[in-house]
Amino acid sequence: MHAFKKNELTTENSHGVNISIDKLTKRFHKSILYQDFALEIPSSQITCIFGPNGCGKSTLLNLIAGLIPSDSGQILFGGRVRSDIKIGYVFQNYRDALFPWLRAIDNIKYPLTSAGISNIQCRLRTEELIHQFNVQFDLNRYPYELSGGQQQLVSIMRSLAINPNILFLDEPFSALDYEATLSIRDKLQEVFVKTGVTIVVMKK
Ligand SMILES: Nc1ncnc2c1ncn2[C@@H]1O[C@H](COP(=O)(O)OP(=O)(O)OP(=O)(O)O)[C@@H](O)[C@H]1O
Ligand SMILES: [Mg+2]
């Protein structure tokens, strides 16, 4: 697996943070996936990591996001710990990523409501995202009533709701057709330029 930096744009309102991984070790049962692994992911840039099926891309994101524990090693965020920063995560498995019992709009609001943000602020932020992504379908529908591409867009909007310092995109365009990929890529680029969020993209 190798990583390289793609895109170095000037940011106006940079609030991204860098990710420093050192001596990371992760085993599943007896097989070692990462051993003494070190990686510096720069702040406020788009880093794309390429690797074949099963090489450990999703596991690395899950380790950084704190969704699974490492066996040893250190992950720091601009010298700070994970709880001090906001991470947005668009999961690879987009069909299972949305809460099926919540309408699309409530999925997008979920990170805000669970952070105790007021109703009015939630509504304003959601309206901003709907406008930004030019959403053309009914967000009052439940995830099962949406196409795969629509679900993936809802996942992306939900990940951005909290205005994260770091955004993880694990195969984010897998369900999108050519036009939708170009359009959402442009929107993400706008978000990146506007906020300076650190973006990590996983790709086969
Ligand atoms: N919870 C788990 N328990 C046991 N093994 C696991 C677990 N999660 C992942 N693995 C193993 O770790 C390896 C890396 O998996 P991971 O999902 O990170 O790969 P990936 O690079 O994201 O693959 P893909 O390109 O197919 O998404 C695989 O061999 C997988 O079988
Ligand atoms: Mg994966």
Side-chain angles (χ1 to χ4, degrees):
M1 180 157 60
H2 62 280
F4 67 85
K5 291 180 276 176
K6 186 189 176 193
N7 228 329
E8 290 193 32
L9 296 178
T10 315
T11 55
E12 290 167 7
N13 179 22
S14 175
H15 78 157
V17 294
N18 67 304
I19 306 166
S20 306
I21 302 168
D22 197 27
K23 296 192 175 70
L24 182 74
T25 299
K26 178 67 187 173
R27 284 183 206 89
F28 283 119
H29 310 295
K30 284 191 176 144
S31 70
I32 296 175
L33 190 57
Y34 288 101
Q35 187 164 31
D36 277 336
F37 181 76
L39 180 67
E40 283 290 325
I41 297 175
S43 165
S44 301
Q45 291 188 11
I46 300 172
T47 300
C48 193
I49 299 179
F50 292 91
N53 287 128
C55 74
K57 302 181 298 298
S58 299
T59 302
L60 183 61
L61 291 185
N62 291 337
L63 287 163
I64 301 173
L67 299 181
I68 57 171
S70 63
D71 293 306
S72 60
Q74 191 183 52
I75 304 174
L76 288 174
F77 302 84
R80 291 180 283 165
V81 290
R82 188 181 297 110
S83 54
D84 287 348
I85 57 137
K86 293 180 286 182
I87 298 179
Y89 193 159
V90 178
F91 296 98
Q92 176 173 17
N93 195 358
Y94 63 92
R95 288 215 179 263
D96 292 334
L98 296 174
F99 301 121
W101 60 90
L102 292 180
R103 294 174 192 278
I105 188 84
D106 295 321
N107 265 282
I108 296 168
K109 282 183 188 168
Y110 184 83
L112 299 168
T113 48
S114 59
I117 309 284
S118 69
N119 282 348
I120 179 82
Q121 288 296 332
C122 277
R123 216 184 59 229
L124 287 174
R125 177 67 183 136
T126 320
E127 278 167 10
E128 189 178 35
L129 284 164
I130 293 168
H131 177 71
Q132 198 167 22
F133 282 85
N134 191 24
V135 179
Q136 300 292 337
F137 56 91
D138 183 6
L139 288 172
N140 286 310
R141 289 196 227 151
Y142 287 94
Y144 78 90
E145 298 176 294
L146 301 177
S147 75
Q150 290 166 342
Q151 289 176 30
Q152 210 160 24
L153 176 58
V154 171
S155 291
I156 290 170
M157 291 167 71
R158 182 177 64 179
S159 74
L160 291 169
I162 49 163
N163 200 11
N165 305 104
I166 296 171
L167 177 62
F168 291 148
L169 301 168
D170 196 357
E171 302 280 350
F173 308 126
S174 57
L176 302 176
D177 62 33
Y178 181 69
E179 292 282 317
T181 299
L182 289 187
S183 155
I184 293 178
R185 218 175 53 187
D186 280 355
K187 311 280 182 209
L188 284 169
Q189 185 101 331
E190 279 168 27
V191 171
F192 171 68
V193 171
K194 200 165 136 199
T195 65
V197 57
T198 299
I199 297 183
V200 184
V201 188
M202 291 300 181
K203 199 95 189 58
K204 279 187 259 296

